[in-house]
């Protein structure tokens, strides 16, 4: 629509009181959005239609506390799910907007991080030792905040910072300012968490952070970063985690493309694109994908618990999303498209206090001081752009030849991703990944196990959604049931039960572990086909009398080539504990323990007692064991109507995952 000239429009916004948002996402224009603010409690309450049922456009700021909708824990700060119901939209050419926005620096007072460097390094050490080291997950993101006082009109500060980010922070997916009563958010987010358009859902996991050296990045310095095992595995782990989400919302599970580089002013990241088809309401897509593992960790539910243990203050909107719901004119199916970047690299201004939250992704290889440096680097992009710290000097360009025309324009530096050596290094990463997730998928029920049913019991790791997708690809009619809800009838009736993976110590007596032991016990006792994965593989081994031990170094996001019953397989591992036998063991007769077969779980029907007393049960179950010849670590087991595997055959790190899954299921069935 046609509106007033940019200077008049933006001047009115600066001097007024009405809420507004500015968004730059196409490189050419700035979208100016105005309307009324409505705060709602749930994602389902986002008002996508008016009282007469007409579709309307809404920009929602979704706080981190919305993870409660998925049953996850958090420090609850009551941050509202704030909706700007848009009644007017004006597109302003970017250059004209820049010329009309204020540019005088905004002075800050008392600036610094709320958590000192050494204290943050100590937190990193604790998370690695106490969380990753004890099997709670593969990676976790713990934040700290850069804070300062601001004694400038908040609307002027917002417009000034927005202009500064447009000018100085390149490579952002969205550059934005959202100004509402009592709360301002201004940012340059590099990462599109999720979008939905024309039935196609896209996710954009970004991980691995290269901090540019003085003078700027070069192909040589970037190549060293790309060869880093830590940075490579960090990206693979978040791709796995987002594929879990894609498999939950997309009928075809999701396909990977990439990797690519995301080059910004002070940082370069690596990224993949995930795409799949879905006909879900975009609010449901958003709920099932709360929130990005790149800013929380994996598995997601445990990541929220770990965050609550190690962050002492609420997150507010950090790691949430800014979600733009735009009517698409459809009369059937979803009526709105969704575009939702992650709320990172964002400055918040409330009651005269600036806050810029940043976090580092902590993995088993993390160096505490390296992670301290990563938080500084991530904050620097925003802080440098808004003038809170010195800005980088102009990019370094090659010297011109001696006989060159001094007045000739200097060609812009070619993106590093176009350098042949860099492109080759990026492409080589895919040599390690499972072809299944790189190729188009559309399970049609015609696989080798067509006509059979499978029940997947979820032990709080949504790897089960990827596993279920693979099972459907193999022809199995598959559904997932949470451990707290599965009934004995469901355990007994399925043709195949897949007892799933999950975090934690398999030796614990928690309700979750007891429930998973019950699943394994019932299937073993009834001699009904069972496949046990990761955590459940360990539970099965324990019930078969095999010792469980913690690994000296966690295998979180580790790819190994192992011998599984005479066939080499490249498999991805996410385990902290292992079943262990004497080196060289390949087969043993064992006694089924079954000591938890009668355990009850919250939300489940009372289990039907087994016919035999579990304390005296002596059911002989010979098991064939595939174990490391040197350590005795058990990688897989199989026996009459059962099979198990320690690795995650559904992971992108399992190049031979589908082949191995089919072999084990064929044996169990």
């Amino acid at each position: 629509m046609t509106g007033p000239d940019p200077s008049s429009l933006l001047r009115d916004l600066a001097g007024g009181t009405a809420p507004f948002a500015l968004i730059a996402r196409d490189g050419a224009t700035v979208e100016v959005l105005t309307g009324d603010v409505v705060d709602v409690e749930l994602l389902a309450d986002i008002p996508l239609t008016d009282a007469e049922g007409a579709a309307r456009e809404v920009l929602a700021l979704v706080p981190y506390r919305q993870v409660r909708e998925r049953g996850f824990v958090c420090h609850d700060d009551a941050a509202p799910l704030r909706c700007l119901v848009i009644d007017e939209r004006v597109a302003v050419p970017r250059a004209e907007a820049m010329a009309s926005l204020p540019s005088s620096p905004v002075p800050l007072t008392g600036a610094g991080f709320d958590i000192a460097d050494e204290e943050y390094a100590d937190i990193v050490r604790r998370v690695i030792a106490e969380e990753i080291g004890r099997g709670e997950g593969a990676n976790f993101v713990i934040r700290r905040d850069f804070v300062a006082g601001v004694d400038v009109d908040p609307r002027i500060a917002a417009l000034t910072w927005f202009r500064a980010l447009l000018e100085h922070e390149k490579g952002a997916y969205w550059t934005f300012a959202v100004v509402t009563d009592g709360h301002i958010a201004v940012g340059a987010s590099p990462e599109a968490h999720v979008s939905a358009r024309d039935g196609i859902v896209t996710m954009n996991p970004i991980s691995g952070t290269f901090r540019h050296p003085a003078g700027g990045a070069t192909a040589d310095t970037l190549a060293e970063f790309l060869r880093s095992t830590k940075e490579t595995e960090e990206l693979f782990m978040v791709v796995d985690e987002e594929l879990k989400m894609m498999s939950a919302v997309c009928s075809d599970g999701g396909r990977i493309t990439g990797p690519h580089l995301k080059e910004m002013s002070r940082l370069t990241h690596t990224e993949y694109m995930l795409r799949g088809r879905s006909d879900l309401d975009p609010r449901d897509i958003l709920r099932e994908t709360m929130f990005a593992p790149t800013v929380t960790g994996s598995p997601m539910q445990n990541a929220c618990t770990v965050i609550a243990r190690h962050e002492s203050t609420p997150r507010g909107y950090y790691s949430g999303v800014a979600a733009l719901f735009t009517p698409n004119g459809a009369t059937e199916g979803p009526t709105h498209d969704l575009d939702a970047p992650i709320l990172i690299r964002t400055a918040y201004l409330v009651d005269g206090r600036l806050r810029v939250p940043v976090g580092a992704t902590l993995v088993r290889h993390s160096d505490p001081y390296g992670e301290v440096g990563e938080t500084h680097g991530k904050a620097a992009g925003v802080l440098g752009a808004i003038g809170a710290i010195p800005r980088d000097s102009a990019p370094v360009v090659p010297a011109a030849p001696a006989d060159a025309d001094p007045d000739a324009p200097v060609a812009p530096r070619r993106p590093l991703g176009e350098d042949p050596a860099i492109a080759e290094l990026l492409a080589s990463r895919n040599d390690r990944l499972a072809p299944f997730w790189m190729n188009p998928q559309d399970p049609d029920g015609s696989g080798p196990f067509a006509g059979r049913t499978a029940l997947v019991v979820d032990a709080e790791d949504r790897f089960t959604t990827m596993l279920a997708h693979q099972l459907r690809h193999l022809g199995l009619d598959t559904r997932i049931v949470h451990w707290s809800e599965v009934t004995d009838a469901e355990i007994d009736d399925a043709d195949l039960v897949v007892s799933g993976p999950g975090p934690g110590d398999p030796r614990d007596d928690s309700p979750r572990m007891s429930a998973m032991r019950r699943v394994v016990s019932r299937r073993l006792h009834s001699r009904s086909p069972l496949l046990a994965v990761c955590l459940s593989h360990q539970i099965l081994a324990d019930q078969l009398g095999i010792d469980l031990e913690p690994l000296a170094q966690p295998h979180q996001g580790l790819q190994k080539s192992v011998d599984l019953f005479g066939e080499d397989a490249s498999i991805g591992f996410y385990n902290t504990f292992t079943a262990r036998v004497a080196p060289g063991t390949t087969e043993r007769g064992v006694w089924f323990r079954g000591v938890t077969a009668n355990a009850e779980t919250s939300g489940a029907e009372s289990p039907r007692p087994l016919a035999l007393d579990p304390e005296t049960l002596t059911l002989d179950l010979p098991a064939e064991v595939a174990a490391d010849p040197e350590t005795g670590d058990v990688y897989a087991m199989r026996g009459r109507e059962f099979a198990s595997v320690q690795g995650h055959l559904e992971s992108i790190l399992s190049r031979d995952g589908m082949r191995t899954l089919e072999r084990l299921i064929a044996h169990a069935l």
Side-chain angles (χ1 to χ4, degrees), residues 313-352:
T313 58
R315 287 194 160 196
Y317 292 92
Y318 171 72
S319 70
V321 296
L324 183 63
F325 299 87
T326 303
N328 57 22
T331 56
E332 296 182 358
T335 59
H336 288 71
D337 293 334
L338 170 67
D339 189 9
I342 303 175
L343 288 171
I344 53 175
R345 315 297 162 79
T346 300
Y348 301 96
L349 181 57
V350 179
D351 296 331

Side-chain angles (χ1 to χ4, degrees), residues 445-452 470-478:
S446 63
F449 307 118
R452 306 286 190 97
Q470 288 182 317
L471 295 171
R472 296 183 186 109
H473 195 84
L474 292 172
L476 289 151
D477 181 4
T478 304

Side-chain angles (χ1 to χ4, degrees), residues 535-566:
L535 173 70
S536 294
H537 158 87
Q538 296 163 8
I539 289 172
L540 172 64
D542 179 65
Q543 294 196 5
L544 296 179
I546 299 175
D547 292 336
L548 301 179
E549 299 178 18
L551 290 163
Q553 293 292 329
H555 292 170
Q556 296 291 349
L558 178 67
Q559 186 179 55
K560 299 181 69 172
S561 181
V562 298
D563 182 343
L564 297 185
F565 310 115

